[in-house]
Amino acid sequence: MYVPQATYRLQLHADFTLSNALDQLDYLQTLGISTVYASPFFEARVGSTHGYDVIDPTRINPEIGSIEEFEKLSKELASREIGWLQDIVPNHMAFSTANPWIKDILELGPHSRYFRHFDVDWWNTHPDGYGKLMMPILGGPLVDVLAQHQLRLAFDEQGLAFRYYDHRIPLKAGSYQTVLGTHLHQLSSPDASARIAPFLSQLEEFLPSMKEQQESERWQALISQWPDLIAEHDIGQWLQQTCQHYNQDINRLEDLLAEQYFRLAFWKDTEQQISYRRFFTVNDLICLNMQESQVFEDYHQFLKELIQKNHIHGVRVDHVDGLFDPNQYLQQLRSALGPNTYITVEKILEGHEQLPEAWPIQGSSGYDFLVQVNRLFTSTQSDAALTTLYQEWMSDAHDYANLVYQNKMFILQERMQGELHNLSALLESLEIIPESNAASPAEIQEALAHILVSFPVYRVYDSTLPLSEEALKILSEVFERAESKASHLSAAFDTLRIIFNGVPDKDEQTNKNTIYFIQRCQQFTGPLAAKGIEDTTFYQYNRLISRNEVGDTPDQLGTTASEFHQWMQTRPLLTMNATATHDTKRGEDARMRINLLSEMVDTWGKICMNWRYEHEKYKTSHAAGAYPTTNDEYFLYQTLIGTYTFHISPIEDQYDSRLKDYLLKAVREAKAQTSWSAPNEAYEKAFEKFTVDVLSDEDFLTSFRAFAQPIAHRAVTYSLGQTVLKITTPGIPDIYQGTEYWDLSMVDPDNRRPVDYAARKYQLDQFSALEQPLKTIRALTSHLDDPAIKMFTLHRALQLRQQWPALFAESMYQPLVTTGTYANHVLAFLRRHQDRFVIVVIPREIVGLLPEDQSLPIGKLWKDTAIAIPDLPGDLWKNQFTNEILSTSSASLSLSAILQHFPVAILTNQLA
């Protein structure tokens, strides 16, 4: 099997193409990267910067390059022994008529090859929706859109279509007969009539003979004549007049709309009713029926070809929890891609959750690693103090667990009510409600809502009855939580408990329907968690915002070295280690800076409270109170601590404009004072003005810099520790593009900004020519704002991993005992393979150790702290960062010696 040594995530789009990726191979190889990890590169919506809005999985996105360019890149990669890990998106595609599958459905309806490819309730109960695809693209009700003549009939080289601003919505094949046949007598030119007659004749023959899901190729052959037809002047002029007749008569336009395979709707309607499954609450991402074999084959056809040609060596599966049956899908994927393909999944692991053992994969894409490392570099002593401080800011501060519950329920009731109605209707239609039921349909729906909201994990994975013990344990917790929130629904919970009891105690069809319903529910518990927690609560609960990351529980603060060791000892060797991704809420180094506040709560509390007092004058009075709220103000100060750039001028870094965009997104995501669906312009402008005023206040900037820069310097140790842990602990290290330098980015799209590879390559070349490591170390540790120290650490660690691949791919993790005064402030472990040994030493909770004028925990401040060394052959160790040789003649190593010059260490017993 192909196994990466270290991956490097590239975001491919029109401004960073396959050609650009080719240009960076020298740099990546020198850095120590074994595998390019690419964002989705199949054809996506025009202008996509992330690639998750795929419109055609059977070709490479022309905006990033061609198949020929990819083959050229692949050949160069092979010559360098660099692999390719491809991100794929099997849960959804772009809901766009540029999507050829969608276009084919709109033209042929149930006769399209792709009619069942998408998760659509075609036979829904909407009075105008039976047999139609809901298209929520309108900016208002349809009646208003028609009255304002915003929708019009038009034609182009692709055929007849409705036009609504940038949307082009093709007519069904049968409507060509309606439009053209009705107005054929108005075509005055006999030659033109003779030209179009064969097309209409073939159309008349085609329409009655259509068979279910077999007509896509025949239709394409027929409509391929269209461009030549409309090129005729008389025909083009006649078509313009015909379209004008429709556009001038709303009734005729409505009649034409009524016969289509789609139903146009106001985009906000989806908050209350919807007839297709979407990605989270994103209307223009429509989900696939990937559990259907034909859908699987059509979607993965091109991917399989690229793997068979050895152009792709591994895949990362996006949002595996959205699939109807993740286990079935992954088994199919393994069978399709073969035993040698590395497969990893995007999976949010909550609490002590583990990946299902049955999945034939190598691991997850690393969010769990990010969470554990983030906890390691957060104080274990400040829970109560941080909570008290936050309560001083927020007199009505919510309990985190209750806030999560409220926000998930808000999303379900206000943004996904349509999905809840659909599940209730499905429950009724499956006829699995027991005869003993004493609850009304409304009560059952309300109880079901509480059950969906109460899941402590994204979902369970069982696809047969009886349910596993693990699933039953989770469901027991779900029902206990739900009933505690809605005890008045006891009768409904009794009914639903019978359905969810996991026992096959009914007839075969009822059992089949029961597990089907449970699986369908699981496709919505994940989106509820994502939208309710990550995209809402994480912008409301601001106790320590560095801990508001996917998969984390920010109400629980730090983790001890012992707990970290225990977690690492059970970690799969081939799973991915990520510390930054395209999804993270803030940059990996921004988190480390903010984490440091947990070690200086008193000092932080006093200074930020002083800022709050001084900045009251910048707030805007409003009937609802002073804008912005204290919660958003507290969010701002923490954001400044994490993201303010000292090495690069904030002006040069466009910091103010980036911060403005980020804060707007943050308050809209929070949905407390404003939101995407109902913007509060007064609040947004007031917050922007407040931010501008604060950053224009020279007294504040003087105070802020004096406080924040020492934090940035001390956080360097944690940033370097995070880097070393990613590379040396069990797992495959993943470097997100550009994070070789300080990653102080904010949430997307800020974290997808262009990367200055020329600067990084220049810096790397300097390290490659290094002859006096200690001299370089002194220079690096004297300029902590400069990102060179991070790149140096990353490069040295990756080089070791590249030199000793078997040790990192096969050896287990062994905790080392620390002794002395500051034993609790260091993490140390050993990895061994045959005659090779690696010891890693990482400081933590360092603020209390450091003198006021010292930024790094190096030298004699470690006093008698030491690491006990197991009985190993030899007694000499080489520091991979400083090239110093250390002796273990006393069976231990002094921290003062290990960290004499550099704040983190990797020691090896091979001295060459």
Side-chain angles (χ1 to χ4, degrees):
M1 172 180 289
Y2 176 81
V3 177
Q5 278 298 316
T7 64
Y8 190 95
R9 171 73 173 202
L10 290 177
Q11 294 294 125
L12 300 171
H13 46 76
D15 295 322
F16 191 89
T17 64
L18 296 173
S19 177
N20 297 129
L22 180 63
D23 293 340
Q24 303 310 326
L25 293 188
D26 278 343
Y27 165 72
L28 295 179
Q29 187 171 35
T30 305
L31 183 62
I33 299 301
S34 75
T35 308
V36 171
Y37 168 26
S39 63
F41 76 162
F42 301 113
E43 184 173 10
R45 188 183 279 115
V46 172
S48 175
T49 60
H50 49 74
Y52 289 96
D53 45 359
V54 174
I55 64 172
D56 189 347
T58 68
R59 63 191 296 242
I60 288 175
N61 188 349
E63 290 194 342
I64 68 166
S66 63
I67 184 62
E68 292 77 18
E69 286 175 297
F70 182 60
E71 288 173 343
K72 177 183 177 183
L73 172 59
S74 180
K75 184 177 180 180
E76 183 61 29
L77 288 166
S79 72
R80 298 168 181 265
E81 297 185 343
I82 297 177
W84 187 276
L85 175 64
Q86 183 58 56
D87 199 349
I88 62 172
V89 197
N91 179 66
H92 59 267
M93 293 176 71
F95 192 174
S96 163
T97 56
N99 182 330
W101 296 3
I102 294 289
K103 181 175 180 290
D104 199 71
I105 289 172
L106 296 180
E107 292 174 330
L108 297 174
H111 309 293
S112 167
R113 168 187 173 85
Y114 309 105
F115 184 68
R116 302 188 192 280
H117 277 43
F118 297 98
D119 197 347
V120 177
D121 179 11
W122 287 102
W123 318 120
N124 60 82
T125 58
H126 189 281
D128 301 319
Y130 190 79
K132 296 177 182 290
L133 177 60
M134 179 185 188
M135 298 190 72
I137 62 173
L138 303 182
L142 177 60
V143 62
D144 296 340
V145 168
L146 288 170
Q148 296 167 21
H149 299 285
Q150 295 171 344
L151 184 75
R152 58 190 178 85
L153 181 64
F155 72 95
D156 55 24
E157 289 196 346
Q158 295 183 62
L160 291 167
F162 289 102
R163 285 283 188 177
Y164 177 72
Y165 293 101
D166 293 335
H167 294 280
R168 180 194 181 277
I169 313 147
L171 266 63
K172 63 184 287 188
S175 290
Y176 281 73
Q177 203 170 48
T178 302
V179 174
L180 304 182
T182 304
H183 295 269
L184 187 60
H185 65 281
Q186 295 174 347
L187 187 56
S188 57
S189 167
D191 289 341
S193 296
R195 286 277 291 138
I196 203 167
F199 176 81
L200 291 173
S201 176
Q202 292 173 54
L203 187 65
E204 289 176 9
E205 181 182 336
F206 168 76
L207 293 173
S209 65
M210 284 198 294
K211 297 177 182 179
E212 186 175 354
Q213 298 182 40
Q214 296 180 12
E215 302 305 329
S216 297
E217 290 185 10
R218 285 180 63 202
W219 169 247
Q220 291 307 317
L222 178 56
I223 199 65
S224 66
Q225 304 172 45
W226 184 262
D228 289 338
L229 286 176
I230 65 172
E232 292 279 343
H233 174 73
D234 289 344
I235 293 177
Q237 192 173 49
W238 166 66
L239 282 171
Q240 286 181 343
Q241 293 170 352
T242 300
C243 290
Q244 189 174 4
H245 284 309
Y246 276 93
N247 295 331
Q248 291 173 345
D249 188 336
I250 291 178
N251 292 329
R252 294 186 68 191
L253 212 53
E254 282 184 311
D255 290 342
L256 189 60
L257 275 173
E259 66 181 57
Q260 303 307 311
Y261 291 125
F262 60 83
R263 175 177 68 85
L264 297 180
F266 181 22
W267 69 267
K268 288 197 70 172
D269 288 351
T270 56
E271 295 178 353
Q272 298 301 316
Q273 55 90 19
I274 191 168
S275 62
Y276 66 93
R277 186 166 61 90
R278 52 189 171 158
F279 175 69
F280 295 173
T281 56
V282 184
N283 287 345
D284 58 5
L285 293 176
I286 185 170
C287 293
L288 290 153
N289 281 322
M290 192 52 71
Q291 68 275 14
E292 302 293 338
S293 58
Q294 191 60 59
V295 181
F296 181 93
E297 288 301 320
D298 288 347
Y299 193 89
H300 296 87
Q301 165 195 339
F302 185 46
L303 174 67
K304 287 196 295 183
E305 292 175 7
L306 295 176
I307 286 177
Q308 288 165 2
K309 293 177 180 178
N310 208 32
H311 295 330
I312 291 177
H313 308 93
V315 296
R316 179 261 199 191
V317 180
D318 181 66
H319 190 45
V320 71
D321 281 340
L323 301 172
F324 178 73
D325 189 343
N327 182 58
Q328 175 206 33
Y329 170 79
L330 292 171
Q331 298 289 350
Q332 276 185 289
L333 189 68
R334 173 58 70 196
S335 177
L337 304 188
N340 295 323
T341 302
Y342 177 83
I343 300 177
T344 185
V345 298
E346 183 211 31
K347 171 71 186 104
I348 310 306
L349 296 167
E350 300 283 5
H352 299 290
E353 185 183 11
Q354 301 289 323
L355 287 172
E357 292 182 5
W359 288 3
I361 62 173
Q362 279 56 65
S364 76
S365 55
Y367 294 104
D368 54 337
F369 179 84
L370 183 156
V371 167
Q372 292 297 330
V373 171
N374 204 22
R375 290 176 178 174
L376 181 70
F377 291 117
T378 311
S379 171
T380 57
Q381 309 296 318
S382 301
D383 242 318
L386 268 175
T387 299
T388 299
L389 174 60
Y390 189 41
Q391 287 172 343
E392 290 178 15
W393 276 86
M394 290 276 293
S395 58
D396 59 344
H398 294 280
D399 171 76
Y400 176 75
N402 286 334
L403 190 61
V404 166
Y405 200 93
Q406 292 170 19
N407 283 328
K408 289 172 72 173
M409 186 62 76
F410 168 82
I411 293 295
L412 186 57
Q413 292 177 337
E414 300 298 326
R415 300 290 186 269
M416 296 177 65
Q417 185 69 219
E419 282 85 351
L420 179 60
H421 286 318
N422 292 346
L423 284 174
S424 298
L426 176 64
L427 179 59
E428 289 280 350
S429 69
L430 291 173
E431 299 181 350
I432 58 176
I433 297 176
E435 292 182 2
S436 60
N437 172 50
S440 69
E443 289 173 326
I444 290 178
Q445 178 169 301
E446 186 180 354
L448 180 60
H450 283 280
I451 288 170
L452 297 175
V453 164
S454 295
F455 268 76
V457 293
Y458 262 48
R459 64 173 291 170
V460 295
Y461 299 98
D462 298 56
S463 57
T464 59
L465 296 176
L467 298 180
S468 64
E469 288 186 15
E470 182 181 1
L472 290 173
K473 181 180 179 181
I474 291 171
L475 286 169
S476 176
E477 183 181 340
V478 166
F479 271 88
E480 182 180 352
R481 182 88 191 279
E483 289 184 279
S484 73
K485 294 292 184 178
S487 57
H488 64 287
L489 296 172
S490 57
F493 285 125
D494 289 343
T495 294
L496 290 170
R497 189 179 286 104
I498 294 172
I499 295 170
F500 282 87
N501 68 6
V503 179
D505 54 358
K506 312 164 189 77
D507 64 81
E508 184 178 347
Q509 187 59 51
T510 302
N511 288 331
K512 182 179 178 181
N513 290 349
T514 297
I515 193 65
Y516 178 80
F517 178 71
I518 292 172
Q519 287 180 280
R520 286 300 268 176
C521 287
Q522 301 311 292
Q523 288 185 285
F524 298 102
T525 51
L528 272 179
K531 297 306 295 181
I533 302 174
E534 296 149 24
D535 291 343
T536 304
T537 306
F538 280 1
Y539 291 96
Q540 293 179 0
Y541 185 78
N542 297 331
R543 186 177 73 147
L544 189 72
I545 63 173
S546 54
R547 292 295 309 283
N548 295 1
E549 279 296 349
V550 178
D552 207 345
T553 48
D555 60 328
Q556 301 170 16
L557 206 55
T559 191
T560 65
S562 176
E563 290 167 336
F564 185 82
H565 286 318
Q566 290 174 22
W567 187 78
M568 276 298 169
Q569 285 177 293
T570 61
R571 185 160 176 76
L573 291 171
L574 301 185
T575 195
M576 292 180 76
N577 294 345
T579 51
T581 76
H582 61 283
D583 272 339
T584 37
K585 300 299 180 186
R586 50 194 53 81
E588 60 182 36
D589 301 307
R591 289 197 305 272
M592 295 301 106
R593 289 183 178 186
I594 300 168
N595 281 347
L596 215 69
L597 298 177
S598 69
E599 298 180 43
M600 47 192 303
V601 179
D602 288 344
T603 306
W604 163 239
K606 289 174 184 176
I607 195 162
C608 67
M609 280 295 185
N610 184 56
W611 293 339
R612 174 179 173 176
Y613 173 78
E614 293 293 333
H615 297 152
E616 281 293 323
K617 61 187 178 227
Y618 297 137
K619 292 196 171 185
T620 301
S621 297
H622 194 272
Y627 286 170
T629 64
T630 53
N631 197 35
D632 287 338
E633 183 181 359
Y634 196 41
F635 181 93
L636 169 63
Y637 295 144
Q638 290 184 68
T639 297
L640 293 175
I641 293 292
T643 63
Y644 195 85
T645 307
F646 294 100
H647 177 62
I648 302 172
S649 162
I651 296 175
E652 294 174 348
D653 196 36
Q654 298 180 314
Y655 183 76
D656 289 357
S657 63
R658 290 172 44 229
L659 179 65
K660 180 187 74 172
D661 292 342
Y662 171 60
L663 294 177
L664 176 62
K665 179 170 182 173
V667 293
R668 286 188 175 180
E669 294 284 14
K671 305 172 188 67
Q673 307 299 325
T674 183
S675 68
W676 296 107
S677 60
N680 180 345
E681 191 174 333
Y683 186 83
E684 293 170 1
K685 286 186 175 180
F687 195 14
E688 180 181 337
K689 177 183 179 299
F690 178 83
T691 304
V692 170
D693 288 344
V694 166
L695 292 178
S696 301
D697 187 325
E698 288 301 326
D699 290 338
F700 165 72
L701 288 177
T702 299
S703 168
F704 172 77
R705 288 171 181 142
F707 177 73
Q709 190 156 32
I711 288 177
H713 289 171
R714 292 180 170 190
V716 165
T717 296
Y718 294 172
S719 289
L720 303 186
Q722 177 176 240
T723 298
V724 169
L725 287 174
K726 176 165 64 176
I727 296 167
T728 59
T729 55
I732 310 298
D734 172 43
I735 292 85
Y736 183 74
Q737 62 174 33
T739 58
E740 310 91 302
Y741 278 11
W742 298 133
D743 178 18
L744 307 179
S745 58
M746 296 166 256
V747 78
D748 69 285
D750 191 67
N751 60 11
R752 296 200 300 268
R753 286 173 294 147
V755 177
D756 185 352
Y757 283 109
R760 287 162 174 77
K761 187 177 185 304
Y762 175 81
Q763 185 68 71
L764 197 57
D765 289 343
Q766 305 308 300
F767 296 146
S768 298
L770 189 63
E771 294 182 359
Q772 296 180 301
L774 274 179
K775 183 178 180 181
T776 299
I777 287 291
R778 292 189 187 99
L780 293 173
T781 55
S782 299
H783 299 88
L784 297 180
D785 293 330
D786 193 316
I789 190 172
K790 183 182 180 185
M791 175 169 265
F792 173 81
T793 305
L794 175 67
H795 177 54
R796 279 299 182 101
L798 285 174
Q799 290 299 302
L800 177 62
R801 189 174 180 107
Q802 200 172 52
Q803 292 164 19
W804 293 3
L807 181 142
F808 292 102
E810 300 172 19
S811 70
M812 300 308 292
Y813 176 103
Q814 180 180 339
L816 294 180
V817 174
T818 56
T819 60
T821 304
Y822 298 128
N824 292 331
H825 294 264
V826 64
L827 178 96
F829 62 89
L830 170 75
R831 301 203 55 190
R832 62 168 80 187
H833 182 262
Q834 297 177 357
D835 63 342
R836 290 177 171 170
F837 309 97
V838 168
I839 290 176
V840 176
V841 181
I842 306 293
R844 58 191 299 269
E845 296 195 65
I846 63 172
V847 172
L849 282 60
L850 293 170
E852 196 169 313
D853 60 348
Q854 188 168 332
S855 297
L856 299 177
I858 55 178
K860 295 181 179 180
L861 66 77
W862 287 103
K863 298 182 179 178
D864 61 342
T865 310
I867 298 170
I869 306 299
D871 185 15
L872 299 172
D875 59 2
L876 296 179
W877 295 85
K878 179 180 180 180
N879 187 319
Q880 290 294 310
F881 297 120
T882 65
N883 283 0
E884 295 170 284
I885 306 299
L886 305 176
S887 172
T888 59
S889 54
S890 61
S892 68
L893 278 173
S894 160
L895 258 290
S896 295
I898 296 172
L899 304 180
Q900 182 177 0
H901 300 290
F902 204 64
V904 295
I906 300 175
L907 308 179
T908 65
N909 69 328
Q910 302 283 319
L911 306 184

